[in-house]
């Protein structure tokens, strides 16, 4: 993959974020998702690559664009796998809540796990505790490891968990151990990455969320030098069959960061739609100017860029499909 590809990919997440932000707080999620997906699909056409969607909006028969197997890019340039979530947090945007982003992960052909759309257990830490965490360890043991490696008392350790009834016991155990809990409603990609970044006050991410989101998250964790383990959670015979179809023979396997994203290179890009732990959302300023905050990182070099961009919306009419 060329260095330039990372910056090209940010233009794509920016376009998706700008388009979906028009739908912020309007109470309708499909329109917000469609706007993000259409803008992302349109922008991909100009990117110099031979891309194939491995994680997208669904199968060919259920999604009109960004479906699994769809070819993206100019047809020139590197052969890459693409994982997208054009609007990570559709409910969030509909309700006007924080933490929504447009996200993309790119890897060399064959490096991204073809994760089916089902639940996945995940644990994520930053570089300090890399190589030391196990999904199968108790949460108490994991917190002790993180506290020691980050050189802080256990009561200062902050654990990020999605607020769901399935996490009730987990949350209780973190509190009983004396650590702090950072709950969020939706959007576990941003929440998990924030827990692995040195610039935030969060130390550990645990819980069950989407499997596609897990693979996208892993690309970022690789670039940050953090660590992640995961396990698919098929809940039915149909979901187990789906794993087999996607080439996953043992769905119960503990997946390492390398299993999720193989090799030494991957690109992750995200643009905030509504403000969250990782990024600020799209600001619609006066005079037809919009400002976006994005993050783009590349595993090969470990470079992390925060990009603030001013957009003249009157000169980008193709991105404004909302009204
Ligand atoms: C998860 C999480 C996502 O939706 O998939 C979640 O990975 C779905 O969980 O970030 P529930 O079924 O409990 O709602 C998100 O939060 C948003 O897509
Ligand atoms: Mg989505
Ligand atoms: Mg999502």
């Amino acid at each position: 993959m060329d260095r330039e590809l990372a910056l090209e990919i940010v233009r794509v997440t920016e376009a998706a974020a700008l388009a979906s932000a028009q739908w912020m707080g309007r109470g309708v999620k499909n329109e917000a998702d469609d706007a993000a997906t259409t803008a992302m699909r349109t922008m991909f056409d100009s990117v110099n690559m031979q891309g194939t969607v491995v994680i997208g909006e669904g199968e060919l028969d259920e999604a009109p664009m960004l479906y699994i197997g769809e070819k993206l890019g100019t047809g020139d340039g590197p052969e890459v796998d693409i994982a997208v979530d054009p609007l990570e947090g559709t409910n969030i945007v509909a309700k006007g809540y924080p933490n929504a982003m447009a996200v993309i992960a790119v890897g060399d052909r064959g490096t991204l796990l073809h994760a089916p759309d089902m639940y996945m257990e995940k644990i994520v830490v930053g570089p300090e505790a890399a190589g030391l965490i196990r999904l199968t360890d108790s949460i108490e043991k994991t917190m002790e490891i993180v506290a020691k490696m980050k050189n802080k008392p256990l009561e200062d350790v902050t654990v990020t968990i999605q607020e769901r009834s399935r996490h009730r016991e987990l949350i209780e155990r973190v509190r009983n151990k004396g650590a702090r809990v950072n709950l969020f409603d939706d959007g576990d990609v941003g929440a998990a990455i924030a827990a692995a970044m040195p610039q935030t006050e969060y130390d550990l991410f645990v819980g069950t969320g989407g499997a596609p989101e897990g693979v996208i998250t892993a690309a970022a964790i690789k670039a940050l030098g953090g660590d992640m383990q995961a396990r698919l959670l098929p809940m039915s015979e149909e979901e187990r069959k789906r794993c087999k179809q996607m080439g996953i023979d043992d769905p119960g396997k503990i997946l390492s960061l390398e299993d999720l994203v193989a090799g030494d290179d991957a690109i992750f890009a995200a643009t905030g739609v509504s403000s969250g732990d990782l990024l600020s959302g799209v600001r619609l300023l006066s005079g037809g100017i919009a400002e976006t905050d994005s993050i783009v990182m590349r595993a090969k070099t470990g470079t992390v860029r925060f990009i603030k961009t001013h957009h003249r919306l009157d000169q980008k009419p193709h991105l404004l499909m909302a009204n």
Side-chain angles (χ1 to χ4, degrees):
M1 291 191 282
D2 301 329
R3 203 193 300 127
E4 293 78 15
L5 186 57
L7 295 175
E8 288 292 306
I9 295 299
V10 157
R11 292 172 56 243
V12 181
T13 56
E14 283 180 352
L18 283 169
S20 55
Q22 314 284 318
W23 290 96
M24 175 85 175
R26 295 191 201 276
V28 287
K29 63 176 193 170
N30 289 340
E31 285 79 353
D33 202 24
D34 287 351
T37 305
T38 305
M40 193 175 264
R41 178 67 191 78
T42 305
M43 284 306 269
F44 264 129
D45 273 342
S46 65
V47 178
N48 200 31
M49 61 173 191
Q50 305 177 60
T52 306
V53 177
V54 297
I55 287 177
E57 292 296 279
E59 294 294 316
L60 175 58
D61 57 356
E62 52 195 36
M65 60 182 97
L66 298 179
Y67 53 84
I68 296 164
E70 185 173 358
K71 302 290 177 206
L72 296 176
T74 57
D76 256 346
E79 287 185 49
V80 291
D81 281 353
I82 314 266
V84 300
D85 200 347
L87 184 51
E88 157 63 345
T90 50
N91 284 317
I92 300 176
V93 172
K95 290 194 265 187
Y97 279 172
N99 227 10
M101 312 188 305
V103 293
I104 298 174
V106 184
D108 287 317
R109 177 78 33 97
T111 56
L112 303 184
L113 182 79
H114 296 201
D117 194 4
M118 60 183 61
Y119 281 122
M120 176 185 262
E121 288 174 79
K122 316 172 193 181
I123 180 166
V124 174
V125 289
E128 302 89 345
L132 300 174
I133 51 143
R134 303 278 171 272
L135 188 70
T136 47
D137 278 349
S138 70
I139 182 66
E140 291 82 3
K141 177 174 176 190
T142 303
M143 283 188 285
E144 280 170 12
I145 293 170
V146 169
K148 178 161 173 251
M149 297 317 292
K150 293 195 87 170
N151 193 22
K152 41 163 98 171
L154 204 94
E155 49 273 24
D156 291 358
V157 167
T158 307
V159 185
T160 298
I161 305 174
Q162 190 164 23
E163 188 167 21
R164 289 293 187 275
S165 55
R166 61 178 176 267
H167 295 146
R168 200 173 299 145
E169 190 203 320
L170 184 62
I171 293 166
E172 269 318 296
R173 286 172 64 177
V174 171
R175 287 178 177 153
N176 287 339
K177 184 79 180 164
R180 310 196 306 164
V181 176
N182 167 42
L183 294 180
F184 67 98
D185 184 8
D186 251 327
D188 75 350
V189 175
I193 295 169
M197 305 238 345
Q199 297 92 334
T200 68
E201 67 268 39
Y202 311 117
D203 302 299
L204 169 65
F205 171 94
V206 276
T208 297
E213 282 89 347
V215 175
I216 296 175
T217 300
I221 301 306
K222 200 155 214 187
L224 290 169
D227 202 1
M228 173 168 181
Q229 288 196 344
R231 176 164 51 194
L232 289 165
L233 271 184
M235 308 271 224
S236 63
E237 204 35 58
E238 203 181 311
E239 288 195 347
R240 269 181 288 276
K241 228 191 271 166
R242 187 91 188 94
C243 290
K244 293 254 152 68
Q245 281 170 355
M246 312 262 301
I248 298 161
D249 291 329
D250 176 12
K253 186 182 172 213
I254 304 284
L255 301 165
S256 66
L257 187 55
E258 189 62 23
D259 293 325
L260 296 162
V261 177
D264 65 354
D265 204 2
I267 291 167
F268 171 89
T271 302
V273 178
S274 61
S275 293
D277 289 335
L278 193 61
L279 295 164
S280 293
V282 174
R283 276 93 65 202
L284 300 174
L285 306 175
S286 61
I289 289 176
E291 198 174 61
T292 55
D293 275 6
S294 305
I295 187 168
V296 58
M297 29 186 156
R298 190 171 168 216
K300 188 163 232 164
T301 52
T303 306
V304 178
R305 289 192 169 83
F306 292 91
I307 298 180
K308 192 188 285 291
T309 309
H310 275 245
H311 307 265
R312 288 282 304 269
L313 294 179
D314 55 346
Q315 293 179 20
K316 292 185 179 179
H318 56 292
L319 295 181
L320 303 178
M321 281 155 293
N323 297 305

